[in-house]
């Protein structure tokens, strides 16, 4: 349960023209437990409007749980998360701020064409006539080089293309905040590089505040303005890619060492050995 509420009057964005400026995300002393299991411990960080922030960390370190707090799918056990100054745990925030979460598995409807997957949100929220919707959908498909896939079912596409469809679907929402959970997992290095490039390009084109959860080092060092490293629920550091490369902290150099698989249980053993 959130223990604090913002005093400021909630914005009612639904009636007025949508604010499309990028938003700030602030996490202050966030702790989260599931029963006796403390998954996040006193995490504080701020993401500036228009920034690309990459949150890295081994498997099970709490990255997805942190992301869920930003979109209001989880509420803090202690501390506070705000988006554009609004309490993220308050359901009204989701209506006031346009956030798009690109899930790890894409979460696309195989029964719908790629085109209809993209149009769905706009139709459901009556965001324009069919002609206006077509324009937005075609624009997003073009940015992600998916023009030839619009009549296909997501089930017919490769993993890399499905990720691009998931990103395109987020893009038609014209978000002020884009959140990606492991956008390059299960992709080969070339497709991973393509997806990283797309994330960076979208940020440049739309200035959308971008938070990426990933254990892809190339992605983090390649596109992040700043990187946060989460280990066993605690933030080890927040640094720019250049600062990370210069770091002499062995726990950080392990992160940059391609020999070490961050998703393997072996990394956890190594991490425990180093910190004990
Ligand atoms: N709803 C939940 N109930 C109980 N435990 C959870 C829940 N969600 C996540 N966890 C646990 O929290 C830890 C961190 O999970 P997660 O954030 O998904 O890790 P990752 O860094 O791999 O994304 C894991 O041990 C996971 O089992
Ligand atoms: Mg995860």
């Amino acid at each position: 349960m959130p223990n604090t509420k913002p005093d400021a009057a909630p914005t009612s964005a639904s009636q007025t023209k949508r604010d499309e400026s990028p938003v700030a995300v602030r996490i202050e002393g966030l702790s989260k437990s599931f029963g006796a299991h403390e998954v996040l411990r006193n995490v504080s960080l701020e993401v500036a409007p228009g920034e690309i922030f990459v949150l890295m960390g081994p498997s099970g370190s709490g990255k997805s749980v942190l992301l869920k707090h930003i979109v209001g799918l989880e509420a803090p056990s202690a501390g506070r998360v705000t988006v554009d100054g609004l309490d993220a745990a308050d359901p009204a925030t989701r209506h006031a701020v346009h956030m798009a979460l690109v899930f790890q598995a894409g979460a696309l409807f195989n029964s719908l064409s790629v085109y209809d997957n993209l149009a769905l949100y706009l139709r459901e929220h009556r965001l324009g006539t069919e002609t206006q919707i077509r324009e937005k959908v075609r624009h997003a498909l073009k940015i992600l080089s998916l023009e030839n896939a619009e009549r296909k079912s997501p089930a017919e596409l490769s993993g890399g293309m499905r990720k691009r469809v998931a990103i395109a679907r987020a893009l038609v929402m014209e978000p002020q905040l884009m959140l990606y959970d492991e956008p390059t997992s299960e992709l080969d290095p070339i497709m991973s590089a393509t997806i990283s490039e797309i994330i960076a390009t979208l940020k440049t084109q739309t200035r959308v505040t971008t938070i990426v959860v990933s254990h892809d080092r190339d992605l983090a060092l390649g596109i992040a303005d700043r990187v946060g490293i989460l280990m066993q629920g605690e933030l080890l550091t927040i640094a720019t890619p250049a600062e990370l490369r210069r770091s002499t902290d062995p726990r950080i150099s392990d992160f940059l060492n391609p020999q070490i698989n961050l998703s393997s249980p072996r990394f956890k053993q190594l991490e425990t050995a180093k910190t004990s």
Side-chain angles (χ1 to χ4, degrees), residues 35-218:
H37 182 194
E38 194 174 39
V39 171
L40 295 172
R41 213 165 10 262
N42 197 23
V43 172
S44 297
L45 63 92
E46 275 187 57
V47 180
E51 184 179 24
I52 298 189
F53 188 93
V54 178
L55 186 67
M56 294 186 80
S59 200
S61 55
K63 302 181 299 296
S64 295
V65 169
L66 189 143
L67 213 54
K68 285 180 183 163
H69 280 83
I70 299 172
V71 293
L73 290 172
E74 294 284 0
S77 302
R80 193 165 124 94
V81 179
T82 61
V83 180
D84 202 19
L86 304 169
D87 188 343
D90 182 343
T93 302
R94 248 171 292 163
H95 299 288
V97 183
H98 285 246
M99 305 183 231
L101 175 60
V102 180
F103 283 102
Q104 187 159 355
L108 301 166
F109 293 100
N110 284 332
S111 57
L112 298 178
S113 68
V114 165
Y115 182 97
D116 288 334
N117 265 279
L118 264 62
L120 186 66
Y121 172 89
L122 300 173
R123 287 175 180 150
E124 278 187 346
H125 292 82
R126 300 182 199 288
L127 295 174
T129 62
E130 270 306 308
T131 312
Q132 289 164 329
I133 288 173
R134 187 179 313 124
E135 207 171 288
K136 285 184 184 180
V137 168
R138 294 253 159 91
H139 178 66
L141 289 172
K142 184 157 186 278
I143 289 179
L144 288 141
S145 313
L146 288 165
E147 295 102 318
N148 297 329
E150 78 169 54
R151 289 289 142 217
K152 292 193 170 140
S153 153
E156 297 173 71
L157 305 177
S158 68
M161 278 177 98
R162 275 203 299 274
K163 297 252 180 194
R164 269 148 58 200
V165 175
I167 296 173
R169 189 179 54 177
L171 195 64
V172 294
M173 295 162 65
E174 297 173 348
Q176 297 168 274
L177 175 61
M178 283 279 271
L179 304 141
Y180 300 85
D181 198 349
E182 305 282 5
T184 62
S185 65
E186 295 149 40
L187 298 182
D188 63 56
I190 292 173
M191 189 46 74
S192 295
T194 307
I195 296 288
S196 301
E197 212 172 285
I198 287 167
I199 294 171
T201 306
L202 291 183
K203 203 280 289 205
T204 319
Q205 286 180 353
T206 64
R207 287 196 62 247
V208 64
T209 307
T210 302
I211 302 179
V212 188
V213 158
S214 179
H215 49 247
D216 181 337
R217 300 175 189 81
D218 294 336

Side-chain angles (χ1 to χ4, degrees), residues 221 239-250 252-253 256:
L221 297 176
T240 63
E243 287 165 349
L244 284 183
R245 285 199 185 87
R246 281 198 302 269
S247 172
T248 52
D249 183 331
I252 293 174
S253 10
L256 309 185

